[in-house]
Amino acid sequence: MARHLITSAIPYINGIKHLGNLVGSQLPADLYARYQRGRGHEVMFLCATDEHGTPAEIAAAKAGKPVAEYCAEMHDVQAEIAKGFRLSFDHFGRSSSAQNHKLTQHFAGVLAERGFIREVTEMQMYSPTDGRYLPDRYIEGTCPNCGFPDARGDQCDNCTKQLDPVDLINPRSAISGATDLEMRETKHLYLCQSQLQDKIAAWIDSKTDWPVLTTSIAKKWLTDGDGLQDRGITRDLDWGIPVKKGDADWPGMEGKVFYVWFDAPIEYIASAQEWVDAGKGVDWERWWRTDKGADDVTYTQFMGKDNVPFHTLTFPATILGSGEPWKLVDYIKSFNYLNYDGGQFSTSRGRGVFMDQALSILPADYWRWWLLSHAPETSDSEFTWDNFQMSVNKDLADVLGNFVSRVTKFCRSKFGEVIPEGGTWGARENALIAELTQRLQAYEGFMDAMEVRKASSELRAIWVAGNEYLQSAGPWTTIKTDAETAAMQTRLGLNLIRLYAVLSAPFIPDASATMLAAMKTEDDAWPTDIAAFLSALPAGHAFEVPEVLFGKITDEQREDWQVRFAGTR
């Protein structure tokens, strides 16, 4: 039994996320976690809400609530929506937790002791209109790299380039829109990433199996211009983790907090402490400290491409710079963007289908299947209602749902609601078993490699194989002349439903549970021998005909949704 630590990029607290956020991190992470559990491995799957920084303050101000109250409410909302999508986190934490406060301050203290933090007196944007310094995310303007008009002071969402506020063309306050900004002197802490460049570069070079998307982004920031630059890790904000050197005050840093991108990745570790403190488990350190058992853990992170620089550079710099035996990530699975009807999803601009809206019109499995089978792995992909309708109707309703319905209804009508006895396998059945054995191996290979679209395609082919067998065998015709052979064909079909339930669980867990319940079994052990697996439910075993597994999306529904969700919220 292997041990897998899995984290999804933690979503910002500033509102309900859209489908692009879901498929870029949380959903494929859940797919992988469910798969590894299904294979019998030990899994720790962690996520949290990212609650500090300007997005939280701005969103709270718009909602007219104190930021702490707003974050607490939105954490509960996001946790509930995550449950709605069947995201199987072992713990869904909060970056504002006491555990993350202490651990972030600990890392800062250790890094300072080792000479990897320096104090810098610098000029920072100040807004006389707002009466405050403006941290980078409080400043918006035109990106100097790609011309995107709504770039933030820390990063351009369009080209992913990391920025400083002074780089922006025509900067403005994100609070008031004021343009009368001026530079004033202030003091901040910087993480000396430049001193760690060679160590980080060697570590990245050792990851020869990482996706090209991940390594290309990481190496771009390592080699662009003057290489990896020192990064500010404090901000002039009210909301956040107070700057401390471990447990001690940090002279000159009074009233400042740590930058959200310093404390947010540390929450991955802190959320495991939260998991223990919530009474869900024991000994979080065996997952995170290599001196306490984590040396046999495989750690995989899932994220959108815009998060890659911080996970390949800043967070590893924090870990490596500490000199402490923390577990470094082994594999980073990054994704391109999912676009929406010719444009980008955008939380800030309210463009696209949001997670709560999606669940209000269809159950989670419909969305899970489409998003995962169209995951933006090698390039950006696009959500369209036409494609969504076609995929749901063909894959889920026509292929999988139709198979389950035909087999169970036929058996009930001819043999009753028990698995029939009689007949033995012949050439057709042996050919099916050979094909399924080969396809199972391919499916496992794609899932192990986190090739999500290829895995979904192989799973669909496994469903299709059953349909083709059923169509070829035609038990409804066979029964007219050979009832025993028809019984064997039907028995095999019912066992195939259990096979589909087990193999499909990572993608469509609700439908999987429905299929297992219909077969009146709780045995969801992963198949190791297809022939044995397809004989496991014996003659005489009871079953029931389930409700329609997947309803088809009508043209009227599709047209209605196209109008209702036309890119605004």
Side-chain angles (χ1 to χ4, degrees):
M1 181 173 68
R3 299 175 62 218
H4 288 273
L5 174 62
I6 300 167
T7 60
S8 161
I10 65 178
Y12 273 127
I13 199 73
N14 62 332
I16 294 166
K17 304 297 108 174
H18 54 67
L19 296 183
N21 296 131
L22 179 63
V23 74
S25 55
Q26 292 178 319
L27 189 53
D30 179 71
L31 176 79
Y32 191 61
R34 286 179 176 275
Y35 168 71
Q36 293 297 349
R37 291 191 196 105
R39 297 300 304 274
H41 300 308
E42 187 180 6
V43 170
M44 171 65 79
F45 180 25
L46 299 170
C47 194
T49 39
D50 185 357
E51 300 187 11
H52 295 138
T54 52
E57 288 196 350
I58 292 173
K62 287 181 179 177
K65 295 180 178 179
V67 64
E69 178 184 328
Y70 172 83
C71 288
E73 289 180 5
M74 285 308 302
H75 173 269
D76 291 346
V77 169
Q78 290 200 20
E80 196 60 32
I81 292 174
K83 289 179 185 174
F85 276 99
R86 307 300 184 251
L87 302 179
S88 59
F89 305 127
D90 288 287
H91 186 70
F92 187 62
R94 301 182 62 185
S95 69
S96 62
S97 69
Q99 293 87 340
N100 197 38
H101 275 236
K102 186 171 183 178
L103 194 57
T104 297
Q105 291 163 344
H106 165 79
F107 271 111
V110 171
L111 288 163
E113 289 171 10
R114 291 173 56 83
F116 291 118
I117 288 181
R118 61 186 176 93
E119 294 186 11
V120 176
T121 299
E122 62 185 12
M123 304 299 290
Q124 186 176 328
M125 291 272 190
Y126 184 87
S127 170
T129 299
D130 299 310
R132 60 178 297 170
Y133 285 101
L134 297 181
D136 42 22
R137 276 183 170 252
Y138 272 36
I139 306 167
E140 296 173 344
T142 300
C143 175
N145 185 53
C146 70
F148 183 60
D150 295 316
R152 301 188 310 266
D154 65 338
Q155 184 171 329
C156 175
D157 281 341
N158 188 56
C159 69
T160 76
K161 186 172 181 63
Q162 288 180 311
L163 301 168
D164 284 311
V166 292
D167 298 331
L168 293 174
I169 300 167
N170 300 323
R172 62 186 181 273
S173 165
I175 303 171
S176 62
T179 58
D180 61 333
L181 309 183
E182 59 187 51
M183 301 301 290
R184 291 190 183 181
E185 190 175 273
T186 186
K187 184 188 287 186
H188 283 293
L189 301 179
Y190 272 63
L191 177 61
C192 300
Q193 297 183 143
S194 58
Q195 295 181 35
L196 294 159
Q197 171 152 345
D198 291 345
K199 187 174 282 191
I200 292 172
W203 172 68
I204 291 172
D205 285 340
S206 73
K207 303 301 181 184
T208 55
D209 62 335
W210 279 11
V212 172
L213 180 63
T214 302
T215 52
S216 62
I217 293 173
K219 290 183 176 181
K220 177 183 176 185
W221 300 123
L222 276 171
T223 58
D224 261 13
D226 297 324
L228 190 59
Q229 300 296 299
D230 295 349
R231 188 82 178 167
I233 60 167
T234 56
R235 292 292 184 268
D236 290 297
L237 288 173
D238 296 324
W239 173 247
I241 297 177
V243 175
K244 284 194 170 187
K245 192 179 291 185
D247 295 327
D249 291 335
W250 202 312
M253 292 294 122
E254 296 83 2
K256 297 182 188 289
V257 300
F258 285 109
Y259 176 37
V260 62
W261 260 112
F262 182 68
D263 80 73
I266 295 171
E267 168 59 19
Y268 293 139
I269 305 173
S271 63
Q273 293 180 277
E274 295 171 44
W275 168 76
V276 170
D277 293 344
K280 298 177 181 178
V282 294
D283 195 9
W284 65 269
E285 290 180 308
R286 67 187 284 267
W287 289 100
W288 278 109
R289 290 188 64 104
T290 56
D291 61 336
K292 304 219 174 146
D295 51 337
D296 67 344
V297 168
T298 299
Y299 178 21
T300 307
Q301 295 175 345
F302 290 80
M303 70 196 65
K305 62 184 177 184
D306 54 326
N307 284 331
V308 168
F310 289 104
H311 286 81
T312 55
L313 306 173
T314 303
F315 187 37
T318 300
I319 298 293
L320 291 168
S322 76
E324 296 178 334
W326 298 101
K327 175 67 184 173
L328 278 161
V329 65
D330 294 296
Y331 192 87
I332 297 179
K333 175 69 173 180
S334 57
F335 291 85
N336 289 284
Y337 293 138
L338 175 69
N339 295 319
Y340 179 80
D341 267 345
Q344 286 188 333
F345 278 90
S346 171
T347 301
S348 60
R349 287 176 290 282
R351 175 174 173 77
V353 184
F354 290 75
M355 290 169 67
D356 60 335
Q357 296 171 331
L359 291 176
S360 74
I361 60 174
L362 284 172
D365 280 352
Y366 291 74
W367 301 105
R368 288 179 64 103
W369 174 254
W370 189 92
L371 291 167
L372 291 167
S373 61
H374 293 78
E377 291 176 292
T378 56
S379 62
D380 291 354
S381 59
E382 183 167 7
F383 177 91
T384 68
W385 288 104
D386 287 342
N387 186 273
F388 179 65
Q389 178 192 29
M390 181 180 69
S391 295
V392 165
N393 290 356
K394 287 190 173 182
D395 298 347
L396 298 180
D398 287 346
V399 178
L400 180 60
N402 188 49
F403 178 84
V404 172
S405 179
R406 291 172 79 190
V407 173
T408 54
K409 287 181 178 178
F410 173 76
C411 188
R412 180 175 63 183
S413 68
K414 301 300 181 184
F415 302 103
E417 290 192 1
V418 293
I419 295 177
E421 60 180 338
T424 55
W425 290 346
R428 182 185 284 117
E429 288 71 37
N430 290 327
L432 172 65
I433 287 164
E435 179 185 355
L436 290 176
T437 299
Q438 184 179 17
R439 290 201 176 280
L440 173 61
Q441 186 176 9
Y443 177 56
E444 292 171 345
F446 291 136
M447 290 290 273
D448 287 332
M450 287 162 273
E451 295 190 60
V452 177
R453 291 179 75 149
K454 290 180 179 178
S456 70
S457 180
E458 199 61 45
L459 178 59
R460 186 186 189 279
I462 290 170
W463 299 341
V464 167
N467 274 276
E468 291 177 342
Y469 167 78
L470 198 65
Q471 198 61 32
S472 171
W476 43 85
T477 301
T478 309
I479 197 169
K480 297 174 183 176
T481 58
D482 188 347
E484 286 218 342
T485 298
M488 175 273 293
Q489 294 165 342
T490 305
R491 187 167 65 249
L492 180 58
L494 292 167
N495 273 278
L496 278 169
I497 293 173
R498 175 171 164 259
L499 176 70
Y500 293 166
V502 173
L503 298 185
S504 305
F507 282 90
I508 45 174
D510 286 350
S512 168
T514 297
M515 287 187 277
L516 282 176
M519 294 301 103
K520 295 188 181 294
T521 179
E522 296 179 358
D523 184 358
D524 59 356
W526 198 264
T528 55
D529 179 330
I530 290 293
F533 196 96
L534 294 180
S535 304
L537 297 180
H541 180 88
F543 74 93
E544 62 186 19
V545 177
E547 295 292 321
V548 174
L549 209 55
F550 292 100
K552 286 195 172 186
I553 296 173
T554 66
D555 291 343
E556 291 75 19
Q557 285 176 309
R558 186 203 71 227
E559 291 164 3
D560 174 47
W561 296 336
Q562 281 177 313
V563 173
R564 283 171 58 193
F565 304 107
T568 59
R569 183 175 175 83

